[in-house]
Amino acid sequence: MKTLLIVAALVAVATAELRQRLDSQSVRLDRLAARVEAVSDVLQGRADASAAAEGRVDALNSRLDAAFGDGCGSGEFQCGDGQCVSLLSVCDGTGNCVNNADETVCENPLEVGSRWVGNVVYDYCTNRRPEQISLEITDFEIRSSFKSKAYVDTKFILESNRADDSKSAVFLSTGTYCFGCRLLETQPPESDNLALTCKFDQGDSNKCSGYIIRAASGEKCAKFAFVKQ
Ligand SMILES: [Ca+2]
């Protein structure tokens, strides 16, 4: 009986060690995936900034669109069938796409009162190094003179929960939501000139990819994965 108990104890210890090692490997893989994504985003951000400095952003966008894009220019909306129309014509009440797609993307994913939580993917630039950003929508207004964008008021709560440094900071900011781009862009709330944007994937209004952007250069320097609560 005593021998059985010893064997059972050894098996339990070995199982726990194996589980710990697997968890550790899983964490390493998650970190590796995040680093690969981070490098990709930083390279993209630097390429954008460099091109802007040289006045070649249009040419770069054309080349990227040709290789990976939807065939439309940066100020255009893709109707889904190859046709491109101006972003300004999206959600203006008149069908500009032959298939009327520019008037069927006018859903508002950022309802007043909705709350979003973004967990950090990577962060190369903020001073606070938040592990999480809570985003609340306090106002969403569509003005009759400019229906392709909405004016959005937001409240950010930056939360850091590290054992040695647990704190939060609250900021208010204004911004816009572009229906054709499915993109929220906010103004930098602080003198560090860092701004938050959030890009919705087509067909999913409950998640958006949040980027902290250096407003001066457009470089993406932090990413948070936002989910609607
Ligand atoms: Ca239209």
Side-chain angles (χ1 to χ4, degrees):
M1 184 64 182
K2 189 175 178 181
T3 303
L4 281 175
L5 287 173
I6 291 171
V7 169
L10 288 173
V11 168
V13 169
T15 303
E17 284 182 357
L18 181 60
R19 186 177 296 120
Q20 196 172 24
R21 286 171 61 187
L22 287 173
D23 288 346
S24 175
Q25 292 292 342
S26 175
V27 168
R28 284 198 194 114
L29 285 172
D30 286 346
R31 285 179 180 165
L32 183 61
R35 286 179 66 84
V36 168
E37 188 175 15
V39 168
S40 171
D41 285 327
V42 167
L43 286 175
Q44 178 64 47
R46 288 180 180 167
D48 288 348
S50 173
E54 297 174 15
R56 292 191 288 111
V57 72
D58 288 342
L60 177 60
N61 281 336
S62 296
R63 287 165 60 190
L64 287 173
D65 280 343
F68 307 108
D70 57 14
C72 295
S74 59
E76 292 182 316
F77 172 77
Q78 228 282 15
C79 299
D81 58 1
Q83 184 186 1
C84 304
V85 299
S86 168
L87 276 174
L88 298 176
S89 69
V90 176
C91 301
D92 65 353
T94 301
N96 298 90
C97 294
V98 171
N99 62 13
N100 209 41
D102 59 307
E103 298 302 315
T104 59
V105 292
C106 308
E107 174 199 7
N108 166 24
L110 298 167
E111 300 156 351
V112 175
S114 62
R115 181 170 171 271
W116 303 72
V117 172
N119 288 306
V120 65
V121 179
Y122 63 83
D123 183 353
Y124 295 133
C125 54
T126 69
N127 287 325
R128 293 183 172 79
R129 290 291 192 271
E131 292 175 350
Q132 202 172 70
I133 298 178
S134 294
L135 169 65
E136 293 179 25
I137 307 302
T138 56
D139 195 22
F140 189 96
E141 180 192 357
I142 301 169
R143 297 176 187 168
S144 58
S145 57
F146 193 48
K147 295 180 178 175
S148 62
K149 282 191 176 182
Y151 295 85
V152 186
D153 291 343
T154 61
K155 180 167 84 173
F156 301 111
I157 304 173
L158 277 54
E159 295 170 354
S160 178
N161 297 316
R162 286 168 296 205
D164 60 337
D165 186 24
S166 180
K167 57 176 94 169
S168 65
V170 180
F171 300 98
L172 301 179
S173 179
T174 59
T176 58
Y177 175 72
C178 167
F179 288 100
C181 328
R182 287 179 64 80
L183 177 68
L184 169 70
E185 295 179 290
T186 66
Q187 296 295 316
E190 290 188 284
S191 58
D192 59 11
N193 229 16
L194 296 176
L196 177 74
T197 67
C198 219
K199 172 79 173 175
F200 290 85
D201 290 334
Q202 293 294 340
D204 189 348
S205 294
N206 292 316
K207 295 178 183 173
C208 64
S209 297
Y211 289 98
I212 305 289
I213 290 180
R214 298 185 199 278
S217 65
E219 179 188 353
K220 297 171 180 172
C221 56
K223 182 175 182 179
F224 291 78
F226 278 89
V227 177
K228 190 176 185 179
Q229 302 300 293

